[in-house]
Amino acid sequence: MTENVIEIEGLEMHFGGVKALRGVDMQIPRGKVTAIIGDNGAGKSTLIKCLSGIYQPTHGQISINGEPVQITSPISARHHGIETVYQDLAVLDTLTVAENLYLSREIQKGFWPFRLLNRKKMLVGAAEMMERVGNTTIRLNNEIGYMSGGQRQAVAISRAVGWGAQVIIFDEPTAALGVKESAEVAHLIERLKSQGITVIIISHNFEEVLTLADLVWVMRQGKAIASRNASEVSGRDLVALLTGAEAAQ
């Protein structure tokens, strides 16, 4: 096993004449929480979409566990152990917790054309998924549309963990949450780390970044310009890196 679960070398992403990524070099350490920060347009979302299989980079290489890979789709990313929890969480409000956990992976019984959902097996599996993230209070038969933001996050995270992800990417995980719900999500991320799962966070919240992350990467104008140990920097230091003030000094 290599020290870094993901290594990115010279990654470029062009949209016509627009260069969203300009030769990104980045390493994501195994079993740690890594934050990626940057202003709007810095390339954070584009980079994550390359790792998630939504975009295929124009140039450059992504390696996982030391092996070069081609991530050609979200299914391909999942095959390589990468799951992404987006701001909208990709959950369906009219489905139950168990149904959301098994979305696109439903267990069926019977024979075609009389196949039905095996709800009993799905409930057992759903309970195991929720237990992995330490949440056993959510009722699996309840529709997710009636749940709080923190509970919805727990379901989305449980789904990612339950299907064997070794890397989970969070896009602004607490952006629309209150203080209590944000604390719940922070606890879930800490629990993932304790299980050896690598976590990547995209966030504008420097307090959150410095509290949760082990390593912070700073992006500016399509490049990864610096990395810092979170324990060794302040919010002011990160602002200086983002704005280029540190380089100017």
Side-chain angles (χ1 to χ4, degrees):
M1 282 287 188
T2 59
E3 180 183 355
N4 299 314
V5 65
I6 296 176
E7 295 178 338
I8 300 166
E9 300 177 41
L11 209 67
E12 297 188 11
M13 186 72 218
H14 303 170
F15 298 97
V18 177
K19 295 183 178 181
L21 299 178
R22 301 168 177 263
V24 173
D25 295 316
M26 185 180 291
Q27 301 79 42
I28 306 296
R30 184 183 309 281
K32 304 289 186 182
V33 179
T34 298
I36 302 175
I37 65 172
D39 289 332
N40 292 334
K44 308 182 302 299
S45 294
T46 302
L47 176 63
I48 291 310
K49 287 177 180 177
C50 288
L51 291 176
S52 302
I54 295 173
Y55 295 154
Q56 284 71 60
T58 308
H59 300 292
Q61 182 64 60
I62 298 171
S63 296
I64 299 177
N65 298 323
E67 296 292 329
V69 298
Q70 298 292 326
I71 305 176
T72 56
S73 68
I75 293 175
S76 172
R78 184 175 295 158
H79 173 75
H80 290 295
I82 300 174
E83 291 273 1
T84 304
V85 179
Y86 293 102
Q87 280 182 275
D88 63 7
L89 304 181
V91 293
L92 298 181
D93 288 349
T94 56
L95 297 184
T96 67
V97 171
E99 288 167 343
N100 269 286
L101 289 172
Y102 277 91
L103 195 61
S104 301
R105 298 166 167 130
E106 293 84 358
I107 300 175
Q108 296 182 327
K109 61 183 178 180
F111 300 94
W112 178 261
F114 304 107
R115 294 184 65 79
L116 301 170
L117 291 180
N118 191 329
R119 297 185 183 279
K120 185 175 180 180
K121 279 192 175 181
M122 287 169 60
L123 282 171
V124 171
E128 293 173 353
M129 289 187 207
M130 296 302 295
E131 190 172 359
R132 281 201 65 185
V133 298
N135 196 318
T136 57
T137 61
I138 293 178
R139 297 193 177 191
L140 302 176
N141 281 317
N142 284 3
E143 287 188 10
I144 203 167
Y146 296 102
M147 295 182 176
S148 69
Q151 290 174 321
R152 291 159 65 89
Q153 280 276 12
V155 173
I157 294 167
S158 296
R159 184 172 58 194
V161 175
W163 294 103
Q166 62 174 319
V167 178
I168 300 181
I169 302 170
F170 290 91
D171 181 18
E172 298 286 354
T174 62
L177 302 182
V179 174
K180 181 181 177 182
E181 293 174 330
S182 296
E184 291 173 0
V185 173
H187 175 72
L188 288 171
I189 290 173
E190 290 288 351
R191 188 174 177 89
L192 297 179
K193 179 183 171 182
S194 73
Q195 296 178 22
I197 295 172
T198 302
V199 175
I200 301 173
I201 299 173
I202 309 299
S203 180
H204 287 91
N205 185 331
F206 288 175
E207 182 179 352
E208 175 180 82
V209 164
L210 294 175
T211 300
L212 293 176
D214 300 292
L215 180 70
V216 183
W217 278 97
V218 180
M219 293 192 67
R220 189 168 72 234
Q221 297 178 350
K223 295 182 178 181
I225 61 164
S227 65
R228 296 287 188 272
N229 291 323
S231 61
E232 298 174 356
V233 292
S234 66
R236 191 170 184 174
D237 296 328
L238 296 180
V239 170
L241 286 166
L242 282 175
T243 60
E246 183 176 273
Q249 290 172 5

